[in-house]
Amino acid sequence: MTDAPGFTRDDLRAGVAAGLLTEPQAASLLALAQARHGARSTLPEEDEPFELFRGFAEIFISVGLVLLLSGVIGISALFGSPLLLMAVTAGACWMLARYFTLRRRMVLPSIVLVCGFAAAIAAVAGWLVGPEGTGGGLLTCALIAAGLALWYRVFRLPFTMFLLGLTGLAAVVIVTDSIAPDAALHGWQAMFDLRAGSGLALGTLAFGLAAFAGGMWFDSRDPHRLGRHAASGFWLHLLAAPALVNTVALTFYNMGPGTGYVLLALALGLIAMLALVIDRRSFLTAGIGYLAFLITLVARQGGELDWPWVVLILGAVITGLGATWTDLRARLMRALPGFPGKRRLPPYLETP
């Protein structure tokens, strides 16, 4: 990330060294300056904002939090039941997040804490509800989702959307499990093949569309990609793309050479165009990256020799798109007619 207008990172470091600013104050000042002057304009022209951690200090603290929570679990196990153990762990995550998330605004420690909280809530819900039957599984998912929704409301952590999405995917699997084809009889590929009438295939397709709609809702509220809404959308797009590709692309690939491969190429072209329109490299990377893994796995298990060519073509497409993304997107957006929501997408160069 570039320096904020008006001062440099060296100025902030000097202020911290002189005792005029604390490290959290310096980080907050930098974020404020970038927001006031337009954070998107301070990014490289072809950048898509993404932040997993802000320095090795966050990695260091995250390691400490993992050890600390492990100690909490161990000590709780000596004095209480499993239910009490997980409840104490969830409470510890919540209290620690009030400092590391709300006050320090640390990214990676916040991710560690919400993961620990989600795991503890899942254990508590599983203990109270029990794993038996579809109803118990769905109630467990509902309790986890409620806890994560509360976490997002209080701490505004974008990564929470990723865990919420995974919870929704788990609910889809539970609902469709009884009507999915038996993998031992039909092969696991048929479980995600729309032609086989698989409930799991339809369920993952519906989940992918829902996750994509959620990601676009967040993106439309933050087209310049400045705050938590765009970051929340990022995590939903990471879930949406593999879910959509898993069903649509695998169905076409299973149709074999000829019509199936032509439809697969058309589907990938549409996915690439959609990623350009919404300006989400992450959506295209997650989708096609997962597809390359899936096709390689299926083809090698079947003894087919065409998978290296498919992966080669996918690699060439991704590399080419990455090298010309900004120009291609501007050309595409200028060529497209006006449609609802076009003005709420990330900006592009409207004149050649």
Side-chain angles (χ1 to χ4, degrees):
M1 183 178 292
T2 57
D3 294 329
F7 56 85
T8 67
R9 291 180 183 273
D10 288 337
D11 293 329
L12 293 177
R13 294 190 184 100
V16 172
L20 301 176
L21 295 170
T22 64
E23 288 187 5
Q25 288 172 337
S28 299
L29 183 59
L30 179 62
L32 175 62
Q34 289 172 338
R36 291 185 63 248
H37 291 277
R40 189 175 181 85
S41 64
T42 69
L43 293 170
E45 182 182 5
E46 299 187 1
D47 197 12
E48 178 181 344
F50 170 69
E51 188 174 51
L52 191 59
F53 58 88
R54 295 173 180 169
F56 198 83
E58 293 200 358
I59 299 176
F60 184 79
I61 291 175
S62 298
V63 172
L65 286 174
V66 171
L67 296 174
L68 178 61
L69 292 176
S70 299
V72 169
I73 293 173
I75 293 175
S76 300
L78 297 176
F79 297 99
S81 66
L83 178 61
L84 178 61
L85 184 154
M86 290 297 103
V88 170
T89 303
C93 290
W94 186 279
M95 296 306 297
L96 289 167
R98 296 187 65 84
Y99 176 73
F100 288 106
T101 303
L102 292 181
R103 291 187 58 186
R104 297 291 299 272
R105 304 292 182 183
M106 288 185 159
V107 181
L108 189 57
S110 298
I111 291 175
V112 170
L113 290 172
V114 72
C115 288
F117 178 80
I121 292 296
V124 171
W127 179 270
L128 294 175
V129 176
E132 295 83 6
T134 301
L138 289 178
L139 182 55
T140 298
C141 289
L143 292 174
I144 297 171
L148 289 172
L150 179 62
W151 187 283
Y152 186 80
R153 180 176 178 82
V154 173
F155 298 108
R156 299 290 195 266
L157 180 66
F159 182 78
T160 310
M161 285 295 122
F162 184 78
L163 298 180
L164 266 173
L166 288 179
T167 305
L169 181 59
V172 168
V173 172
I174 292 171
V175 169
T176 59
D177 181 64
S178 60
I179 57 175
D182 187 354
L185 297 177
H186 304 280
W188 66 268
Q189 297 96 318
M191 296 174 63
F192 301 101
D193 194 328
L194 292 171
R195 299 174 302 160
S198 167
L200 188 58
L202 293 173
T204 54
L205 180 62
F207 167 79
L209 292 173
F212 178 77
M216 290 306 302
W217 183 83
F218 279 113
D219 282 352
S220 67
R221 295 170 65 88
D222 189 9
H224 290 271
R225 309 275 167 84
L226 297 177
R228 64 179 176 86
H229 286 107
S232 300
F234 168 86
W235 291 109
L236 287 176
H237 285 306
L238 283 188
L239 291 173
L244 294 172
V245 168
N246 183 70
T247 302
V248 176
L250 188 55
T251 299
F252 292 150
Y253 183 79
N254 286 342
M255 293 172 66
T259 303
Y261 286 8
V262 171
L263 291 175
L264 176 59
L266 290 175
L268 293 180
L270 289 175
I271 290 173
M273 288 184 61
L274 178 61
L276 283 167
V277 168
I278 66 176
D279 197 20
R280 280 294 188 185
R281 296 169 184 80
S282 52
F283 180 83
L284 184 61
T285 303
I288 294 187
Y290 175 77
L291 176 64
F293 165 77
L294 195 64
I295 289 178
T296 301
L297 179 63
V298 172
R300 295 189 68 175
Q301 285 183 347
E304 301 176 27
L305 299 178
D306 56 354
W307 66 269
W309 295 101
V310 175
V311 175
L312 177 66
I313 293 172
L314 289 176
V317 169
I318 292 178
T319 303
L321 282 173
T324 59
W325 184 277
T326 301
D327 183 59
L328 279 176
R329 180 172 187 270
R331 290 174 181 270
L332 176 61
M333 295 299 288
R334 289 196 297 263
L336 290 175
F339 56 85
K342 186 176 183 180
R343 290 295 177 183
R344 298 191 64 83
L345 292 171
Y348 59 93
L349 187 62
E350 298 190 25
T351 56

